[in-house]
Amino acid sequence: MPNTVGKPYSVLDVFKALTEEEQQLVKDNQVHLTYRKREIVYKEGSKILGIYQVTKGKFKIYKTGVDQKPQIIAFTVPGDIQGYRSVLSNEPACTTVEALEESNVSFIPSEIIFHLVKHNPDFALLLIQQTCKELDRANSLITDIAQKTVKERVAEILLMLHDTFGTNKEGFININLTRDDISNIIGTATESVIRILRDFNSKNYITLENRKIKINDYKRIKLISESI
Amino acid sequence: MPNTVGKPYSVLDVFKALTEEEQQLVKDNQVHLTYRKREIVYKEGSKILGIYQVTKGKFKIYKTGVDQKPQIIAFTVPGDIQGYRSVLSNEPACTTVEALEESNVSFIPSEIIFHLVKHNPDFALLLIQQTCKELDRANSLITDIAQKTVKERVAEILLMLHDTFGTNKEGFININLTRDDISNIIGTATESVIRILRDFNSKNYITLENRKIKINDYKRIKLISESI
DNA sequence: CGGGTGCTTGAACACTGTCAAGAATTGTGG
DNA sequence: CCACAATTCTTGACAGTGTTCAAGCACCCG
């Protein structure tokens, strides 16, 4: 079975199941919000009043672990919805959502979401499928973190970032993460990430330019990520 | 936020949302199956044709990782449903389900589940909530494995097993796992688990009797699990 | 009661984390 | 837009945790 951690993030457009009337209902009740870099949409433990669909930009999703160290669980891509777990289960948020750059979201109040789930089974089904997708990814991440070495995980995360966010015209991955962020994805020390990136760089598998990363030898990185 | 890995498994009875008529439909279409120790309900990658509700016994749920090494993702308790992700997303199973002891399940064909999701929004909502619960647990497990030491994880897993499966009259945890199983939950070498269990045993925090484990000093184990 | 599986231990060593210090980059206020 | 402050990055040395390998023992099942 191929793991799914390394697969690019993809999104089910859960709203495609809506009737025109329902789409209008969403439109009439949604609120557009803008977040600047480092701004927080909601915090782990807080009550939230609706769901957030990302329309532009990127967010990191994390939990707070030992000694307040954040553990990054996921990233968003445009189209992603966040907060629906908390809303539908009527529980406090179990993760924090923080903007990585200037980003926009559309906020849709809980009542609307409940109304849609209650009246549109296709919408409910898509929501279940989206959750299952996330669960599958989480399970793969567990397996990876538990079994792979730090070097393998760094390689894997590079591929995932590459495939999820794409590259600019020079081939650099379209995301601005600190070394610390990367270490908080794979659960290791910042220095370890730095050393491994430097190592890949010196072997020319990747090119580093401050926070920008270009993958030169995709196949090689792939092999490393698969413990070969 | 308290982590949820250490919390005992609990189950939402998703079928409580059914009307009498629907319950009868399930009853008329379900099939009761028995599995002996080590028997496999379904394997990662296989197509499955319905969902399985555990009525008696215990199963371990795992993914296959590097070098075929299994990574245990979860255990079942009676009432748990398995396979619904695969069914509802119409994708191959992403985990393997294997009996830890003589166990019974009730198999309910996909069509019935789809019918219920389509016609009973409360059932759909419960399914979403159940999935969200599992997702939250998975996220906590990621954070734990990524950030805690092996000793802390062993302590945490002991508490989880204790709280999930309870103890017999002598105080031993009601589950029969090999050291290898335990190492496959927390992602470490079998020898490491053995050494740590021996250490806890020698300090009288726990009592070992072959595969049976009794927690003598719950508070101490709790402290260890929280990196204190 | 024999074979297989699982458990246990020791020793060597590899990997990763921690600490500290300095360099580079990024962000901010004027 | 510049200068300064703050943050992030980098490197080295070292410690410690955890893995691997190997060998022998214990338990359990047929």
Side-chain angles (χ1 to χ4, degrees), chain A residues 202-217:
Chain A
S202 76
K203 288 171 176 153
N204 215 29
Y205 301 162
I206 65 174
T207 299
L208 295 174
E209 217 168 82
N210 301 331
R211 290 194 190 147
K212 289 186 294 178
I213 303 175
K214 174 159 71 174
I215 297 181
N216 300 321
D217 193 342

Side-chain angles (χ1 to χ4, degrees), chain A residues 47 83-92 114, chain B residues 12 125-126 128-133:
Chain A
K47 242 351 201 167
Y84 65 96
R85 287 176 261 162
S86 177
V87 164
L88 293 171
S89 299
N90 196 33
E91 286 181 2
F114 271 107
Chain B
L12 288 172
L125 185 56
L126 278 172
I128 296 176
Q129 290 177 355
Q130 174 63 29
T131 318
C132 290
K133 213 175 213 183

Side-chain angles (χ1 to χ4, degrees), chain B residues 13-102:
Chain B
D13 179 8
V14 293
F15 297 110
K16 78 180 175 196
L18 303 190
T19 63
E20 276 196 22
E21 195 184 355
E22 288 168 337
Q23 288 187 2
Q24 193 57 48
L25 179 73
V26 169
K27 238 179 214 164
D28 293 343
N29 286 279
Q30 70 188 352
V31 181
H32 293 287
L33 301 168
T34 298
Y35 294 89
R36 276 175 304 175
K37 190 171 172 172
R38 283 167 208 263
E39 272 195 298
I40 286 178
V41 181
Y42 59 80
K43 269 206 163 85
E44 193 174 343
S46 63
K47 244 349 201 169
I48 60 180
L49 305 172
I51 73 169
Y52 300 81
Q53 183 171 42
V54 178
T55 50
K56 201 195 108 207
K58 305 179 182 72
F59 297 86
K60 60 179 175 185
I61 318 296
Y62 59 88
K63 280 187 87 76
T64 305
V66 182
D67 290 335
Q68 301 302 310
K69 186 175 161 68
Q71 175 65 38
I72 296 179
I73 303 292
F75 294 97
T76 64
V77 293
D80 253 347
I81 52 174
Q82 289 296 326
Y84 63 95
R85 283 176 263 161
S86 178
V87 165
L88 292 171
S89 299
N90 195 34
E91 287 182 0
C94 63
T95 51
T96 299
V97 177
E98 180 182 329
L100 288 168
E101 57 187 52
E102 174 104 4

Side-chain angles (χ1 to χ4, degrees), chain A residues 105-122:
Chain A
V105 303
S106 155
F107 172 85
I108 304 156
S110 302
E111 310 88 76
I112 306 293
I113 300 302
F114 271 107
H115 178 271
L116 295 174
V117 168
K118 292 273 182 185
H119 293 87
N120 187 332
D122 290 325

Side-chain angles (χ1 to χ4, degrees), chain B residues 149-151 187-189 191-192 195 210:
Chain B
T149 64
V150 172
K151 184 182 279 200
T188 189
E191 294 92 330
S192 296
R195 280 183 243 269
N210 301 331

